[in-house]
Every structure is written in C-alpha cells, then in structure tokens.
C-alpha cells in the first residue's frame, strides 16, 4: 500500500505541475497582460507604454523563466529606474540590498499581490476557501446520508413503488439546476409573497456566523442537485448487487432479507457511490459559483469569478492551482478508499 500511495503521489505531483504550467501559460497570454497593464495604468496607454509597463515587471520574460520565478525556483526579476533606484519581484522600492531575497514564489509561500483586492493572494485564497469549506461541510452532512438512504431504499427492491417514487425524486432533483431551485426557495421561503418568510434570501451574514435561517437555503440548494446524482448511482449499484449470485445463494440458505442487505449487499453497493461522492468535492469547490452569487456568499467560487472578470492574474493563478490540488487529492483519496472497500483488489 505504501508503494502504491508513493506512486500515486508522484503521478499527482507531475500532473499538478503540467496543469499548473498550462494555466500559467493561458493567463500570461499577451492580450491578458495588455489588459492588465491598461487596467493598472491607463486604458489610453500606447503600445510602447504597455510594453514598458510589462517589461519593467517581468511579464515579457520567456515563459519558462516566468514560470520558474512564479514557482520560486529561479531568482526574481529586478528593474532599475531612471533615477537609479531598484524594485523587483521579491522586494519593494527602497528595500536595502542586504534585505532583498533572491527567490520568492509559491514554494516560499509567496503567491503575489491581488490587483483587485490590493491584498496578499495567499490571505485572500485562505479566507475564501475556509468560507466555502464551511458551506461544503454542511452540504456534505445533508447530501451524502440522504442520497445513500434514498439510493439503498430504491435499489433493495427494483421495480417496487418505493423504487419508482424515490427514483423520480432523484431524477427531478438532478434535472433542476441550482439557479432554478435557488430562486424558487428564495421566492417561497424567503419572501413575503407566499407568507412563508422563514429564511433569509442572503447568506452574507453567514460568512461570520452560520445561523440556520441564513445558511439553510444555500445548503439545501446545493445538496438537492448533488443528492439526486449520488442517489441514482447508489440505486444502480444496489440493484446490481441484489441480483448477484452470492445474494441468491444467501436467500436460498434462508438468510433474512435484513441480514442480506446489511451484511452482504451494502458494502459492495457503496463502492461505486464512494467514488462519486469524492468527485463531488471538486464540483462543490468550483461549482458553487452560481449559488454563492445568488445568495451573495463571498466564498471561493465568488473569488474565482472576481479574479477572472477583473483579469487578476496572480489571484486567478492561485485559485486555479488550489482547484487542481483539490481535484488530485480527492482522486488519491478515492483510489485508496476504493482499495479498502473492494476486497477483490490487491496491491502487490
């Protein structure tokens, strides 16, 4: 198992490096850099002024060198002004020479400065990721047990009334986009139109304190969409297991239906849903953009929209890298969990 994990970690690191380089290349295309220069300077800047701005800040360096500087494995750029003063990637103007670090990048914990929020990118990503993590936690608490119960109950007796009813609910919830269900919930439960103003239509205050009345609607909106998909996968897996030969043998031996489900079918039926549940985490991290915007919850998805919309290159890079890492980590956890859940798999 240890060798398996080390191999997977090696593949994961190589994949993360390749994907990060692709994201870095896309965000550093010249049209993006030109837009950045005009946003920070003047939209009427001439081409010469744009080139001067970008050149002074290291943006016109060859792509491999820029990427190495961003990672922190190559010395940062240094620019000398006409008056003889210097500034660089790793230090501000006026910093004494003995206090200037040569390397400053992701490996040193320096993610750069956000041009939109005027703050350290690392602080922004950490804060917003924690807010979305809080939202994700309560979504998983509601979504996963509900989906598994629905899927198992529907798959125990294929074709029964319970199966048809719960399958219909699962299909409807999956087919309803978050922006539709969210608007419906706000209209019904957070407005006075129906006389059911039980919750708040905004989750802004939930960033400080996740009260039930202002946090439940976004949690319910996200949970319903993901719950149907997991429930359908669980139902399909449970149906397949219940028709397996060893289940038929257990029935012929007189084993009770309850023991067949709990002791023989349930573990094997949860193998496929486990992988699906792990895949929901990356979706929750970036797929909550609509819900966070709808309920004005300024989490990780909201920051992604702000970074992309305002051409905040450093912030967009950080958000993209974190997303890549989360996807790869969940894949690793999924692979390890699959080995433990499926006794037919052995790692030599």
């Amino acid at each position: 198992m240890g060798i398996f994990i080390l191999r997977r970690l090696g593949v994961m690191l190589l994949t993360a490096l390749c994907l990060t380089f692709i994201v870095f290349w896309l965000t550093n295309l010249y049209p993006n850099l030109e837009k950045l220069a005009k946003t920070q300077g003047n939209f009427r800047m001439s081409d010469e002024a744009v080139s001067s701005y970008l050149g002074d800040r290291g943006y016109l360096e060859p792509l491999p060198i820029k990427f190495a500087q961003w990672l922190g494995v190559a010395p940062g750029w240094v620019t000398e002004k006409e008056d003889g003063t210097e500034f660089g990637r790793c230090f501000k103007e006026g910093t004494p020479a003995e206090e200037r670090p040569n390397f400053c990048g992701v490996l040193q914990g320096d993610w750069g400065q956000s041009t939109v929020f005027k703050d350290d990118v690392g602080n922004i990503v950490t804060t917003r990721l924690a807010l979305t993590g809080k939202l994700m936690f309560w979504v998983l608490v509601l979504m996963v047990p509900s989906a598994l119960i629905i899927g198992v109950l529907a798959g125990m007796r294929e074709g029964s009334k319970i199966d048809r009813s719960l399958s219909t609910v699962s299909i409807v919830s999956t087919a309803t986009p978050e922006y539709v269900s969210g608007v419906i919930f706000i209209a019904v439960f957070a407005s006075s139109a129906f006389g059911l103003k039980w919750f708040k239509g905004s989750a802004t205050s939930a960033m400080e304190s996740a009260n039930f009345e202002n946090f439940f609607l976004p949690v319910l909106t996200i949970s319903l969409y993901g719950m149907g998909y997991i429930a359908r996968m669980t139902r399909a897996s449970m149906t397949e297991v219940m028709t397996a030969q060893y289940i038929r043998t257990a029935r012929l031996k007189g084993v009770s239906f309850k023991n067949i489900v709990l002791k023989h079918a349930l573990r094997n039926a949860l193998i496929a849903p486990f992988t699906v549940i792990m895949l929901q985490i990356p979706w929750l991290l970036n797929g909550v953009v609509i819900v966070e915007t709808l309920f004005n919850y300024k989490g990780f998805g909201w920051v992604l929209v702000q970074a992309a919309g305002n051409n905040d290159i450093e912030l967009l890079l950080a958000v993209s890298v974190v997303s890549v890492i989360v996807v790869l980590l969940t894949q690793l956890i999924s692979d390890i969990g699959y080995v433990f859940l499926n006794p037919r798999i052995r790692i030599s």
Side-chain angles (χ1 to χ4, degrees):
M1 177 61 73
I3 297 177
F4 169 76
I5 295 177
L6 289 177
R7 287 177 178 175
R8 293 296 295 172
L9 282 175
V11 174
M12 184 182 74
L13 290 175
L14 181 60
T15 305
L17 185 64
C18 293
L19 292 176
T20 301
F21 180 79
I22 292 174
V23 173
F24 187 88
W25 168 63
L26 291 175
T27 53
N28 278 269
L29 293 174
Y30 191 79
N32 294 333
L33 298 179
E34 183 180 18
K35 181 180 178 182
L36 173 66
K38 292 184 177 181
T39 301
Q40 297 302 306
N42 190 328
F43 280 101
R44 296 182 179 179
M45 291 174 65
S46 63
D47 293 340
E48 293 77 10
V50 170
S51 297
S52 176
Y53 178 91
L54 296 177
D56 290 345
R57 288 157 181 80
Y59 287 111
L60 299 183
E61 295 276 359
L63 185 65
I65 295 178
K66 288 194 296 181
F67 185 64
Q69 291 175 342
W70 179 77
L71 285 178
V73 297
W77 51 265
V78 177
T79 298
E80 183 177 354
K81 300 174 68 174
E82 295 180 356
D83 58 3
T85 58
E86 293 181 335
F87 67 96
R89 174 179 173 83
C90 301
F91 61 91
K92 297 180 179 179
E93 183 178 347
T95 303
E98 62 275 8
E99 297 180 7
R100 300 175 181 177
N102 292 324
F103 299 86
C104 58
V106 174
L107 297 179
Q108 288 79 29
D110 186 354
W111 293 79
Q113 291 288 318
S114 169
T115 56
V116 173
F117 296 97
K118 308 300 180 182
D119 193 7
D120 182 70
V121 168
N123 293 335
I124 297 173
V125 172
T126 302
T127 302
R128 303 302 174 180
L129 188 62
L131 290 173
T132 297
K134 180 169 64 174
L135 180 62
M136 289 170 58
F137 172 78
W138 289 111
V139 168
L140 291 173
V141 167
L142 177 62
M143 178 179 67
V144 174
S146 303
L148 293 179
I149 291 173
I150 291 174
V152 170
L153 290 177
M156 285 193 308
R157 299 185 184 276
E158 184 181 9
S160 63
K161 291 183 179 180
I162 294 179
D163 179 23
R164 292 195 296 269
S165 300
L166 294 179
S167 296
T168 301
V169 172
S170 301
I171 293 173
V172 171
S173 65
T174 305
T176 306
E178 304 100 309
Y179 57 85
V180 174
S181 57
V183 170
I184 292 175
F185 289 149
I186 292 175
V188 175
F189 298 109
S191 68
S192 56
F194 291 87
L196 299 174
K197 198 172 183 179
W198 298 340
F199 307 101
K200 293 182 178 180
S202 172
T204 302
S205 58
M207 293 188 295
E208 300 294 334
S209 177
N211 297 322
F212 180 79
E213 62 179 1
N214 60 9
F215 208 54
F216 181 70
L217 287 185
V219 169
L220 180 62
T221 301
I222 301 173
S223 299
L224 280 179
Y225 184 78
M227 182 183 67
Y229 183 55
I230 298 175
R232 292 174 62 194
M233 291 296 298
T234 306
R235 185 259 179 196
S237 181
M238 189 69 181
T239 300
E240 181 181 359
V241 170
M242 291 299 291
T243 58
Q245 184 62 43
Y246 69 92
I247 297 294
R248 295 176 184 174
T249 303
R251 286 179 174 177
L252 291 174
K253 289 182 177 181
V255 180
S256 65
F257 185 77
K258 177 181 178 182
N259 287 333
I260 288 176
V261 172
L262 295 178
K263 295 183 179 180
H264 299 281
L266 194 57
R267 177 177 177 177
N268 290 330
L270 293 180
I271 295 176
F274 174 77
T275 304
V276 174
I277 291 170
M278 295 307 301
L279 292 176
Q280 296 299 305
I281 296 178
W283 167 76
L284 288 174
L285 185 63
N286 297 302
V288 296
V289 173
I290 296 175
V291 175
E292 288 187 352
T293 304
L294 182 63
F295 290 94
N296 198 27
Y297 188 80
K298 299 177 181 179
F300 192 79
W302 178 84
V303 164
L304 174 61
V305 174
Q306 297 300 314
N310 294 282
N311 204 46
D312 194 335
I313 292 178
E314 298 292 343
L315 183 57
L316 185 58
L317 275 171
V319 171
S320 302
V321 170
V322 170
S323 301
V324 169
I325 292 174
V326 170
V327 171
L328 295 176
L329 283 177
T330 52
Q331 287 288 339
L332 178 63
I333 296 172
S334 176
D335 291 342
I336 296 173
Y338 193 86
V339 172
F340 281 106
L341 285 174
N342 194 343
R344 292 170 293 183
I345 295 179
R346 292 292 181 268
I347 303 298
S348 58

